[in-house]
Amino acid sequence: MSDHDWAQPVPPPLPPGGAAPPPYVPPGATPQYPPPAYGPPTPGAWPPPAGPQAWTPPPRPGLLPLRPMGFGTLLWAPFRTLRRNPAPVFGTGLVVQLVSAVATAAVFVPLFVWVFGRVESASAADVDAILSGAVGWVILLSLVPIAISVVAGAFLQGVMVVEVASGTIGERLSFGALWRRAAARIWPLIGWTLIVGAIVGGVFALVVGAVIAVAVIFPDPATVLAVVLIAVAALLGLGVLGAWLGTKLALVPSVIVLERSGVLTAVRRSWALTNGNFWRTFGLILLVGLILSFAAQVVVQPVSFLGAILAMLLDPTVGEAYQAISIGTTVAALVLSVLIGAITSVVQAALIAVIYIDLRMRTEGLDLELERHVEARDAGRPTTDPYLPASEQGPVATWS
């Protein structure tokens, strides 16, 4: 027997019972399989999955995408707030602007009318006393519109935080619903606004008071000029410090409203959320502020400028026509200022809420919690408040 015969493999033996083995396939050959015994699937033969595996539609799109956002999305999201729910949002901003304007006019217009009437009928010796008393009354009565503006501004912040938060999960709240939810956190918001106003006003008064005191004690012009230059440099430095602190603490209103925190807890939360995201937050706030300021100037200033030119062309002698046109132009400019102010305040307050939600998505996975909340709500299952921290979650949602 040759070596080639020894190299051939031996087929396996038959299995017990006489059953035919599968076809023998030599090494290196491709096995051949018989066709399948079943035919193509019959339509409807497979039942659809049931229970937790059933298909559910994707979450309804809201104001913000449920994922960390890019710079462009963050930049334009506050402007979308007006378009998505314009009546309650713009209405709230307009009410706040009107309340502040009416309060200011109600305080100062009667005062100025009274002062001017007294000055016209007073002697030269009494004019200085009247003007000095008028300055004191202006300073005292200015606390009234300032207090009203503080309350109105804090309320607007609360409304816009609620609007952005509810809009992100696809809800569209009415005027009354927005106001009720914002009113529930109005006192901590007012407290925070008063603290910020007191600090800013106190620092400014301290610098100006120091300049006035030095000017009175050392009336030498060179000394006064040096003190003024030092004060300007100090104000610039304080401005830089204020921009840094303002950015780090910008999220305090959002934390107060959505996490139901006190002022001190909200300060710590805002400081922690902006860690590592300072320049992004500062850039957004600054850029949106510049856009709004430029838009306001483009709209309001041409009205005043064209009104002045029209008055001079129609009545160069500065008569009754000139005065009528000037009054009409002033009123039109004031109306436009109120409307633009309403838009500006709404967008700026909405921007802070948008930044807050984005930073929580980036650092805490809030986007996943919002997706679970929307899916559970649309499926009719019980939900919890998605914006509360995990340690404070309650059994029933306030946003569903």
Side-chain angles (χ1 to χ4, degrees):
M1 184 177 294
S2 64
D3 295 339
H4 176 73
D5 296 333
W6 284 105
Q8 297 298 324
V10 179
L14 292 174
Y24 170 71
V25 180
T30 302
Q32 300 294 325
Y33 297 101
Y38 53 86
T42 304
W46 298 97
Q53 298 179 350
W55 180 85
T56 56
R60 292 174 296 178
L63 175 66
L64 304 177
L66 300 183
R67 53 175 171 76
M69 291 162 277
F71 190 86
T73 304
L74 289 170
L75 181 62
W76 295 113
F79 297 93
R80 291 182 56 200
T81 308
L82 284 170
R83 185 180 64 181
R84 185 179 183 274
N85 200 11
V89 170
F90 179 72
T92 302
L94 188 59
V95 168
V96 168
Q97 292 294 315
L98 288 176
V99 167
S100 300
V102 170
T104 303
V107 170
F108 290 113
V109 170
L111 176 63
F112 290 154
V113 171
W114 177 78
V115 170
F116 290 148
R118 289 288 305 275
V119 168
E120 289 180 356
S121 60
S123 62
D126 295 334
V127 169
D128 292 338
I130 294 174
L131 293 178
S132 299
V135 171
W137 276 108
V138 167
I139 295 174
L140 181 62
L141 293 178
S142 63
L143 297 177
V144 176
I146 288 176
I148 294 176
S149 299
V150 166
V151 175
F155 185 74
L156 177 63
Q157 286 181 327
V159 168
M160 293 313 303
V161 170
V162 173
E163 168 61 24
V164 172
S166 59
T168 301
I169 55 179
E171 296 181 355
R172 196 184 303 269
L173 300 180
S174 64
F175 205 104
L178 280 174
W179 280 41
R180 285 192 298 271
R181 293 187 181 181
R185 302 297 299 161
I186 187 62
W187 292 114
L189 286 172
I190 292 175
W192 169 246
T193 307
L194 288 175
I195 291 173
V196 174
I199 293 175
V200 173
V203 171
F204 183 79
L206 182 63
V207 174
V208 174
V211 172
I212 295 175
V214 172
V216 171
I217 298 174
F218 304 100
D220 179 50
T223 304
V224 173
L225 178 61
V227 172
V228 169
L229 294 177
I230 293 174
V232 170
L235 288 175
L236 291 176
L238 290 173
V240 174
L241 178 62
W244 178 66
L245 290 176
T247 303
K248 295 292 293 182
L249 303 178
L251 309 182
V252 170
S254 299
V255 177
I256 288 175
V257 175
L258 296 182
E259 301 185 20
R260 305 172 197 169
S261 302
V263 173
L264 294 180
T265 302
V267 168
R268 290 192 293 266
R269 281 282 289 157
S270 177
W271 198 279
L273 286 172
T274 52
N275 284 338
N277 295 280
F278 173 83
W279 290 111
R280 181 188 184 89
T281 304
F282 175 76
L284 281 167
I285 296 174
L286 178 62
L287 184 56
V288 170
L290 291 176
I291 292 173
L292 294 174
S293 177
F294 178 76
Q297 295 300 319
V298 167
V299 173
V300 176
Q301 292 302 322
V303 174
S304 302
F305 181 71
L306 292 177
I309 293 178
L310 182 62
M312 288 297 299
L313 292 176
L314 295 180
D315 189 0
T317 60
V318 193
E320 293 182 356
Y322 180 91
Q323 295 178 358
I325 295 174
S326 299
I327 293 174
T329 303
T330 303
V331 172
L334 288 175
V335 171
L336 284 176
S337 298
V338 170
L339 295 176
I340 296 298
I343 297 174
T344 300
S345 59
V346 163
V347 172
Q348 288 177 329
L351 174 66
I352 301 303
V354 169
I355 294 174
Y356 163 81
I357 292 176
D358 176 70
L359 290 182
R360 283 197 61 183
M361 288 180 179
R362 293 177 179 276
T363 59
E364 300 176 356
L366 178 63
D367 50 335
L368 304 178
E369 184 63 33
L370 294 179
E371 288 180 0
R372 286 192 289 267
H373 171 85
V374 172
E375 291 174 357
R377 180 197 63 194
D378 293 346
R381 299 193 300 270
T383 58
T384 56
D385 189 340
Y387 293 103
L388 282 178
S391 59
E392 301 180 12
Q393 287 287 348
V396 180
T398 60
W399 299 99
S400 59

